[in-house]
Amino acid sequence: MPRCNSCGTVTTEGSHFCPRCGASMAAPEPDFARPQGAPPPPSAPPPPQYYGAPPYQYGPGRPSQTTNGMAVASLVLGIVWIFWVGSILAVIFGYVGKGQIDRSGGTQGGRGLAIAGIVLGWVGVGTLVLYIVGIVIVAITDSGSSSQGLRFG
């Protein structure tokens, strides 16, 4: 069985190139053919190691990223306030979803959706507070003025 002159790998009979290093399996040139003191002939670049498509070298890969459902629910409830109950739920779902996304290690996406839901939820909660304060102010000022205008007796 012939051996590769470069790496010593045993090859099959009739091989033209070494399967391990790609070196030519032709018989080495005898030393007497080169005159003494002459530099060695330039070597040709080694042939490519693979013929055809390169082998698969990508590894296990990264798991696909899914969108967190709580983040989506937070955004939807932040957009549709549903008598302000939706805004409170948007804030809750947004913080829960954002926490789940941060702990997922990159397997879940939708952090921006969760943040948008949190912001819209707080806008809704702020609007609810302003609405309640407005109703209280109107009720206080209206009750004092209407009782003075009506006198019985």
Side-chain angles (χ1 to χ4, degrees):
M1 297 224 107
R3 288 189 173 268
C4 174
N5 296 330
S6 299
C7 67
T9 302
V10 177
T11 62
T12 60
E13 207 55 57
S15 296
H16 296 292
F17 297 101
C18 174
R20 183 170 175 212
C21 70
S24 175
M25 295 296 292
E29 192 175 300
D31 286 339
F32 63 85
R34 188 175 67 222
Q36 271 198 343
S43 62
Q49 291 188 0
Y50 302 106
Y51 297 99
Y56 179 77
Q57 299 177 1
Y58 297 110
R62 189 172 156 200
S64 63
Q65 193 177 44
T66 59
T67 304
N68 186 289
M70 294 290 244
V72 174
S74 171
L75 181 64
V76 170
L77 289 171
I79 292 171
V80 183
W81 287 352
I82 311 172
F83 303 109
W84 289 287
V85 174
S87 1
I88 295 168
L89 291 175
V91 170
I92 293 169
F93 288 172
Y95 281 117
V96 170
K98 188 169 148 306
Q100 288 176 352
I101 292 166
D102 291 342
R103 288 188 303 271
S104 73
T107 59
Q108 287 188 345
R111 192 168 197 276
L113 298 175
I115 292 171
I118 291 168
V119 169
L120 290 173
W122 279 117
V123 167
V125 169
T127 306
L128 172 64
V129 169
L130 289 175
Y131 183 74
I132 292 173
V133 168
I135 288 176
V136 169
I137 289 174
V138 168
I140 290 173
T141 58
D142 192 32
S143 65
S145 64
S146 65
S147 66
Q148 290 176 358
L150 298 173
R151 291 192 176 222
F152 298 104

